[in-house]
Amino acid sequence: MAEHLDIIEGSKEERYEALYPQIKSVVEDETDSIANMANVASMLHETFGFWWTGFYRVIGEQLVLGPFQGPLACTRIKKGRGVCGTTWQKEETIVVPDVEQFPGHIACSSASRSEIVVPIKHDGVVVAVLDIDSASLNTFDDTDKLWLEKIAVLL
Ligand code: SME
């Protein structure tokens, strides 16, 4: 496993292209999902300078906060609530260009302006979500969706 993250610069596409093999190499030798989520949150956060990057795990009827980078966050989210709970319910990625336009958005931080949430599935069942918040509007698009869904498959 790589012990450091190579410096990654360039366009969004170039960053994901360079980051993906590094993430793959970090997670493929480790079986502990918490350790892998922790490293993936760190690598994405460092590479893109997001506001908040982390995971919520499905535990019973709720999402429970997992490894993350960024400010303090809410610890539990019910199915169907907020962007995270809606992603779990719909079992598909949600891109939110402006969080104020998403009914029921849960504001863990008032600085968050846009968001993407990607489901992580094992055998077709959602076991966690990857949640990324940006302090700018319109940060996430189909490029993020494509690459983050590829990363989700590794977890
Ligand atoms: N905004 C999320 C809650 C989690 S925080 O952004 C870290 C939501 O609406 O589900």
Side-chain angles (χ1 to χ4, degrees):
M1 163 193 150
E3 285 168 357
H4 67 279
L5 178 65
D6 291 341
I7 292 170
I8 294 176
E9 290 169 335
S11 69
K12 180 187 280 192
E13 286 82 358
E14 287 166 342
R15 287 179 197 220
Y16 277 117
E17 271 170 27
L19 183 60
Y20 180 79
Q22 292 191 61
I23 288 181
K24 193 163 185 288
S25 122
V26 164
V27 304
E28 68 190 359
D29 293 333
E30 177 52 61
T31 56
D32 186 273
S33 64
I34 300 282
N36 285 336
M37 287 180 189
N39 269 333
V40 169
S42 168
M43 294 171 90
L44 287 168
H45 202 74
E46 293 281 309
T47 299
F48 292 100
F50 295 129
W51 176 254
W52 194 93
T53 310
F55 293 88
Y56 283 88
R57 296 166 300 140
V58 172
I59 298 181
E61 297 303 307
Q62 293 182 318
L63 290 170
V64 181
L65 184 63
F68 71 96
Q69 299 274 316
L72 182 74
C74 19
T75 50
R76 289 175 185 267
I77 298 173
K78 293 195 171 87
K79 195 169 194 176
R81 296 288 176 84
V83 188
C84 292
T86 306
T87 298
W88 178 18
Q89 187 171 55
K90 294 193 167 171
E91 303 179 355
E92 58 190 31
T93 299
I94 299 180
V95 175
V96 183
D98 177 354
V99 297
E100 289 183 11
Q101 304 302 319
F102 187 94
H105 168 258
I106 300 165
C108 291
S109 161
S110 59
S112 174
R113 307 292 301 281
S114 60
E115 182 164 2
I116 185 169
V117 183
V118 178
I120 294 160
K121 299 178 190 176
H122 289 176
D123 299 326
V125 176
V126 177
V127 295
V129 299
L130 167 60
D131 177 18
I132 306 180
D133 287 39
S134 165
S136 308
L137 292 169
N138 301 306
T139 295
F140 305 103
D141 56 23
D142 282 348
T143 299
D144 300 281
K145 179 176 184 293
L146 178 89
W147 283 99
L148 295 172
E149 287 179 351
K150 276 168 70 90
I151 291 164
V153 171
L154 300 173
L155 290 166

